[in-house]
Amino acid sequence: MESKIRVLVVDDSALVRKMLSDMLNQHPQIEVVGTAQDGSFVLQKIKLLNPDVVTLDVEMRQTGGLEILPEIVQQFGLPVIMVSAHTERGANATMKALELGAVDFVNKPHALGGGNIQEVGDLLARKILAVAQSKRWIRSRIQSVPAKPTPPPVRFNRPVPPSHSRITMIAIGASTGGTEAIKDVLVNLPDTLPGIVIVQHMPAGFTKAFSNRLDGLCKIRVKEAEDGDPVQTGTALIAPGSHHMEIVGMQGSYRVRLSETPPVNRHRPSVDVLFHSVAQRVGNRALGVILTGMGGDGSLGLLAMREQGSTTVAQDEESCVVFGMPKEAIKVGGATYVMALNQIAPFLVDSVQR
């Protein structure tokens, strides 16, 4: 019988600890092996209980999540999923936590001002399974395994229509681990590139904090998209949480359209919704990129882009936090190239210049 994924739940609220523990213990592949009410107890509990994944409250009254997070990541190499209050302060703290090494986050359950209790439990369980089974975290627990050199990009030779037009738009999709992956791409781009449109799976209230953080780090302008925003040179538009984002208009006057139509592949915003609209409107003048994330959202949209002549890129398994979305895109034939994260920004610049 396969061993269960061992989880340590850290939160200063006894109610949250019980709610999360009860929800996770219902999953046949997960076992909550312990809880902690304050960051000062976490390192001792990790040594004692040997968990595979830690869920960590962003804000605690004594030693907070942001204070203890770097030590968990650096000392133990464990994946950490933050549990965040659905407030502006909570959103900003969560973005900082992702920068410090957390792999993802969920909102606190509805009883504490966040999402539906069952939805939060299901989402947290899926994220725990995804990160625990990721090769990146398995490798981090085995110190004797040396890091592999970055391989050259792999080209897939599946026939597609030839592209004869210059690139006028870049479309990017990501999920778990995507906030840092997107940052690593955007900070290395000049402000002369065509307009960039991005879907990162993230709930409402967090995409604005994410956009603001990137805007302060990048040469390009980064903003949370508003309905009707133009797609223009030197600007990246990030789909707001709880809204799909599509491309409308025609060459020279592309805009984004936001909607609250039903979720696609469990997500709103959905990468597939964006990519399909780019395939339809922009065709072989677009370049599509799918980054780390769990599930398969974006795979068919990337395939649609490639079939319309777009150059398409999937992040490779070695550099992904979770090799779910890129893996599915490769499997269906949506990727022209597969490459490491640190190769993607130079590739975008070179592709546009060519």
Side-chain angles (χ1 to χ4, degrees):
M1 184 176 177
E2 190 174 332
S3 60
K4 292 185 177 183
I5 296 167
R6 299 165 59 84
V7 179
L8 175 65
V9 173
V10 184
D11 200 291
D12 66 356
S13 164
L15 175 60
V16 174
R17 292 197 301 274
K18 177 169 175 41
M19 291 171 68
L20 293 180
S21 297
D22 289 348
M23 289 187 294
L24 293 176
N25 279 326
Q26 291 175 16
H27 197 286
Q29 293 176 266
I30 295 174
E31 177 187 7
V32 176
V33 294
T35 64
Q37 66 181 20
D38 183 74
S40 59
F41 300 106
V42 172
L43 301 184
Q44 298 173 17
K45 291 271 184 146
I46 291 175
K47 292 177 183 177
L48 179 66
L49 300 171
N50 191 32
D52 301 304
V53 181
V54 176
T55 73
L56 185 61
D57 188 6
V58 172
E59 299 179 289
M60 293 183 283
R61 284 185 288 273
Q62 296 183 44
T63 305
L66 295 182
E67 296 174 66
I68 199 67
L69 172 61
E71 294 188 68
I72 298 173
V73 174
Q74 292 164 18
Q75 286 191 37
F76 298 100
L78 290 174
V80 178
I81 298 174
M82 307 304 293
V83 180
S84 172
H86 199 170
T87 63
E88 182 177 353
R89 178 178 171 182
N92 289 328
T94 300
M95 292 305 107
K96 181 64 177 176
L98 294 170
E99 184 178 342
L100 292 172
V103 296
D104 212 335
F105 72 96
V106 296
N107 280 334
K108 288 201 172 185
H110 184 68
L112 294 125
N116 174 276
I117 293 174
Q118 191 57 52
E119 288 180 1
V120 171
D122 291 344
L123 179 61
L124 180 57
R126 285 190 285 118
K127 291 187 176 187
I128 286 170
L129 291 172
V131 299
Q133 294 166 357
S134 164
K135 282 189 176 181
R136 169 183 285 199
W137 299 106
I138 292 172
R139 285 197 309 271
S140 74
R141 306 295 297 278
I142 307 172
Q143 301 299 325
S144 61
V145 178
K148 294 182 180 179
T150 301
V154 176
R155 182 180 176 100
F156 288 82
N157 293 312
R158 178 177 175 274
V160 294
S163 176
H164 299 296
S165 300
R166 69 183 181 88
I167 293 169
T168 59
M169 188 182 301
I170 297 168
I172 300 174
S175 185
T176 305
T179 55
E180 287 304 291
I182 290 169
K183 182 202 77 173
D184 288 348
V185 172
L186 296 191
V187 296
N188 289 297
L189 299 180
D191 60 7
T192 54
L193 288 195
I196 302 171
V197 286
I198 299 169
V199 165
Q200 162 69 44
H201 293 159
M202 193 176 282
F206 290 86
T207 43
K208 188 169 184 60
F210 178 45
S211 304
N212 290 343
R213 173 187 169 230
L214 290 179
D215 191 52
L217 296 172
C218 300
K219 300 181 185 73
I220 63 174
R221 181 190 181 209
V222 184
K223 74 180 293 281
E224 183 184 54
E226 298 175 75
D227 193 50
D229 274 346
V231 181
Q232 54 191 5
T233 299
T235 298
L237 300 174
I238 297 179
S242 80
H243 287 75
H244 290 308
M245 184 168 74
E246 299 175 84
I247 300 302
V248 296
M250 58 187 67
Q251 187 174 8
S253 61
Y254 292 119
R255 309 182 315 280
V256 296
R257 180 172 62 199
L258 305 181
S259 69
E260 295 182 271
T261 52
V264 173
N265 304 322
R266 291 182 168 181
H267 298 288
R268 191 177 65 205
S270 162
V271 181
D272 262 333
V273 169
L274 175 64
F275 282 1
H276 277 294
S277 73
V278 173
Q280 180 182 6
R281 296 285 181 176
V282 190
N284 64 0
R285 297 183 301 277
L287 197 158
V289 180
I290 195 159
L291 301 173
T292 174
M294 64 182 187
D297 186 33
S299 59
L300 296 180
L302 198 72
L303 175 61
M305 289 182 63
R306 190 175 185 200
E307 288 176 338
Q308 291 301 314
S310 301
T311 298
T312 55
V313 175
Q315 185 180 349
D316 72 358
E317 184 173 9
E318 290 294 318
S319 63
C320 278
V321 171
V322 176
F323 188 57
M325 288 164 48
K327 179 181 179 180
E328 291 303 310
I330 296 166
K331 185 187 297 185
V332 300
T336 315
Y337 295 93
V338 177
M339 63 185 70
L341 179 62
N342 63 6
Q343 297 172 318
I344 293 176
F347 179 82
L348 298 183
V349 175
D350 182 62
S351 297
V352 170
Q353 290 174 344
R354 282 188 289 126

